[in-house]
Amino acid sequence: MTFTLATWNINSVRLREGLVARLLRDEAPDVLCLQECKSPVDKIPTEQFRALGYNWMIARGQKGYNGVAILSRLPLTDAGSVDFADLGHARHVAARLENGVTVNCVYVPAGGDIPDREQNEKFGQKLDFLTQMRDSFRAEKPAKSILVGDLNIAPREDDVWNHKALLKIVSHTPVEVDQLNETREAGGWVDVTRANIPDGKLYSWWSYRAADWDAADKGRRLDHVWASADIAASGQGSRVLRDARGWEQPSDHAPVFATFDL
DNA sequence: ATGGTAGGCCTCCTA
């Protein structure tokens, strides 16, 4: 069985309902994981998605901030959620497919501007969130699992437009990169995107603040697709749909895709 | 070195 999965930080699912529908129509992933829905679950618009065959949604939400959802045209069951770092935020939800694969949709805290937990509480929360994820993987090794989402860290030198310039910028500091790698290794997760696309610059996010995001191309790879070691080899055909960053009234993130042949 | 844009909400928070 082959299925395609995409992950996208949508930055308000209500404002960008039309863009989600466009992605579902044009690219037709079997499963679409969304982050930053910025909506309570009962206010997520699902009619257009259902009309396109996406009859399942497992989500966690809150008013105004955060929020994660898994849309699917394959049957899903709710596999729970964890409040990593006890922030009271909707940043994780899991769903199970009929083939037994568990899909985790994660939105790691951005972490504020100052990369120092003494001066910036949000940075500490980001590190704590990752530490608790790591510990959960140590406690129970993931199997037949996929983890995707906006992890808000670009771990490799070629995951950012300028490695040196970003070493002190939250999302690419060594302490975050180490923490993310430790979290990934603790679960035996494989970075499927980079397994499929090992070489060259690769980004999934471009700031709204840059005048000409496409020409300047000062991007970062903040959005990730991981698979547990037992199914990682089945991950194929990864890609970033960069075009979506140029759609009308876009999210600042582009969707990341992977196909699994199980 | 700085400030730049965007979304949601209740006048400023977060990214």
Side-chain angles (χ1 to χ4, degrees), chain A residues 81-157:
Chain A
S81 56
V82 182
D83 182 13
F84 295 112
D86 306 307
L87 301 172
H89 296 173
R91 294 182 178 274
H92 170 260
V93 68
R96 196 154 294 121
L97 291 159
E98 283 180 327
N99 61 10
V101 170
T102 303
V103 177
N104 291 275
C105 179
V106 182
Y107 176 46
V108 172
D113 289 331
I114 305 167
D116 177 352
R117 70 188 310 153
E118 304 301 320
Q119 294 177 62
N120 168 22
E121 181 187 37
K122 289 198 188 66
F123 193 72
Q125 291 175 349
K126 182 178 198 174
L127 298 179
D128 292 346
F129 189 98
L130 291 164
T131 299
Q132 290 198 17
M133 270 213 304
R134 179 201 68 192
D135 290 347
S136 78
F137 302 148
R138 283 184 181 162
E140 189 180 352
K141 202 83 161 178
K144 287 191 79 176
S145 293
I146 294 168
L147 184 153
V148 306
D150 178 4
L151 305 186
N152 264 315
I153 297 172
R156 293 174 26 154
E157 293 191 14

Side-chain angles (χ1 to χ4, degrees), chain A residues 123 126 152-153 170-180:
Chain A
F123 193 72
K126 182 178 198 174
N152 264 315
I153 297 172
V170 172
S171 74
H172 194 61
T173 64
V175 61
E176 291 168 86
V177 169
D178 289 349
Q179 188 78 58
L180 186 70

Side-chain angles (χ1 to χ4, degrees), chain A residues 4 20-21 23-32 46-57 70-74 257:
Chain A
T4 298
V20 174
L23 185 85
L24 297 176
R25 195 182 310 112
D26 294 355
E27 304 295 332
D30 295 295
V31 177
L32 174 62
T46 55
E47 227 170 88
Q48 279 196 59
F49 311 153
R50 269 207 211 89
L52 291 163
Y54 292 80
N55 291 316
W56 283 270
M57 181 179 79
I70 304 174
L71 297 173
S72 176
R73 55 183 192 181
L74 304 172
F257 286 76

